[in-house]
Amino acid sequence: MILAIETSCDDTCAAVVTRDGEIRANVISSQGVHDRYGGVVPEVASRHHLELVGPVVEDALTQAGATLPQLDAIAVTQGPGLVGALLVGVASAKALAAAHRLPLIPVDHLHGHVAASFLAPDPFEPPFLILIASGGHTLLARVEDHGPDWEVLGSTHDDAAGEAFDKGARMLGLGYPGGPALQRLAEEGDPAAFDFPTAQQVAGLDFSFSGLKTALLYKLRELERADPALPARRRADLAASYQRAIVETLARRVERALEQTGLGRLALGGGVAANGPLRERMRGLGGVAIDIPPMALCTDNAAMIAGAALHLPALVFPSYLGLDAYATGERGL
Ligand code: KG4
Ligand code: ZN
């Protein structure tokens, strides 16, 4: 069994996963303190990780019926993410591993999102194309095997898709995180009410969301000038049209990538993969085998970090004691 710890952003996560990829425990403690600021405050996140990481690890071990000496290894997200937040996880993992002379497996957060598809009970086998869309990343990659060397085919020039959801939600007066709130408001609205841009002019398999964000801002200003008390119905129309533009931006790149690579298999990962209309749009792609992990494995979690660790080399004690976190990936994302 592997115990994994993930603290790259604002969720404090610990999981226990077996060698066969069976999830014995997957504990996620969302901090819920960042909504008042309209986004994650890094230093606040780090302090909360510090308080939560102990109890979250204990919870995961209890749920799995495991003790530390029984583990084969401890895995931890090394980066990319908020460096102070990552350091809490890295230091905790090092301390727990060293105390029991266990091996340590450092994991790249994005490899974790890919590995969410490898977990039981329905492992999705490479090769496949993956769309990872979260608050920090939006990219398309070709996954040939279970290891960390998957190939990035396209990524965003500016905002991540989740960021586009969060910023749009903020403009519409909704709380953080914006994705789920915007999806709820959009359910009351007409996705065809406004024609928002879908960045089709961006070359290749890259994405861009900044034009869309500006388009929403200008449309809101224009509507509020005409009627300062914007009716709820109109706000819902804006949310639905904006959401459709994000979904179409993602979906059309996925279609192009499937065509270009000839891959007939597609996986989704990252928090935005929890979005209902995106899941529906992807399920509608003809002739493609599709894997959309359960919601709890799409948003940040530690089970996916353990899933990646199963395919990575372990560092033996004491070689990992000097291990550091990294804020951005070598992939330059
Ligand atoms: O993967 P994740 O949990 O954390 C990062 O690594 O960023 O993704 C969080 C992002 C946030 O931007 C959030 O608004 C978005 O995923 N998200 C959604 C939904 N649920 C979460 N976006 C759209 N629709 C959702 N239902
Ligand atoms: Zn993530």
Side-chain angles (χ1 to χ4, degrees):
M1 277 184 292
I2 290 185
L3 166 73
I5 298 173
E6 146 68 45
T7 62
S8 66
C9 191
D10 60 337
D11 294 321
T12 317
C13 317
V16 177
V17 170
T18 68
R19 275 173 201 275
D20 305 324
E22 183 201 330
I23 303 170
R24 290 282 170 84
N26 189 20
V27 179
I28 302 167
S29 176
S30 298
Q31 297 183 353
V33 290
H34 302 280
D35 41 353
R36 79 186 73 156
Y37 308 110
V40 177
V41 182
E43 188 54 24
V44 173
S46 310
R47 283 163 194 259
H48 279 266
H49 284 309
L50 212 49
E51 283 173 22
L52 293 168
V53 71
V56 164
V57 164
E58 259 173 49
D59 256 21
L61 289 171
T62 307
Q63 280 183 27
T67 60
L68 282 165
Q70 286 174 341
L71 298 172
D72 296 304
I74 295 186
V76 66
T77 307
Q78 190 183 6
L82 303 171
V83 83
L86 288 160
L87 280 172
V88 176
V90 169
S92 307
K94 281 199 278 192
L96 288 171
H100 298 274
R101 299 294 189 265
L102 292 169
L104 187 83
I105 309 173
V107 177
D108 183 272
H109 181 81
L110 291 166
H111 186 203
H113 277 301
V114 172
S117 289
F118 304 152
L119 291 165
D122 294 311
F124 193 64
E125 292 302 321
F128 56 76
L129 177 79
I130 187 164
L131 169 70
I132 301 177
S134 72
H137 308 276
T138 297
L139 60 95
L140 271 167
R142 179 205 291 266
V143 180
E144 293 286 351
D145 55 38
H146 297 93
D149 299 323
W150 35 281
E151 180 195 357
V152 175
L153 304 175
S155 56
T156 181
H157 288 186
D158 35 63
D159 289 346
E163 228 176 328
F165 268 107
D166 294 335
K167 289 178 178 171
R170 198 170 174 178
M171 285 186 233
L172 291 166
L174 305 169
Y176 177 87
L182 197 138
Q183 184 186 326
R184 271 195 303 278
L185 178 60
E187 278 158 21
E188 319 287 320
D190 173 9
F194 301 98
D195 191 18
F196 285 129
T198 55
Q200 294 313 300
Q201 76 286 0
V202 176
L205 297 174
D206 285 346
F207 304 90
S208 168
F209 295 97
S210 60
L212 170 62
K213 196 178 59 185
T214 311
L216 174 64
L217 181 68
Y218 286 170
K219 186 51 79 179
L220 252 175
R221 279 193 192 151
E222 180 193 318
L223 293 174
E224 282 174 344
R225 250 197 315 272
D227 180 2
L230 193 62
R233 173 78 217 181
R234 265 340 235 166
R235 283 179 60 245
D237 285 345
L238 282 168
S241 305
Y242 184 78
Q243 174 175 254
R244 186 167 84 165
I246 297 177
V247 169
E248 280 309 310
T249 304
L250 296 171
R252 290 184 199 172
R253 282 298 180 280
V254 166
E255 285 169 337
R256 190 182 284 180
L258 287 168
E259 208 178 284
Q260 282 183 10
T261 59
L263 288 166
R265 298 164 64 73
L266 170 72
L268 298 191
V272 178
N275 183 261
L278 178 68
R279 294 165 87 94
E280 221 171 279
R281 174 75 165 79
M282 295 296 168
R283 285 206 183 96
L285 292 173
V288 179
I290 182 156
D291 180 55
I292 310 180
M295 302 259 191
L297 295 179
C298 287
T299 50
D300 285 350
N301 67 89
M304 69 183 195
I305 301 303
L310 290 170
H311 306 284
L312 288 167
L315 306 173
V316 293
F317 177 84
S319 67
Y320 50 75
L321 290 178
L323 190 82
D324 209 352
Y326 54 85
T328 49
E330 285 124 284
R331 294 164 196 270
L333 297 167

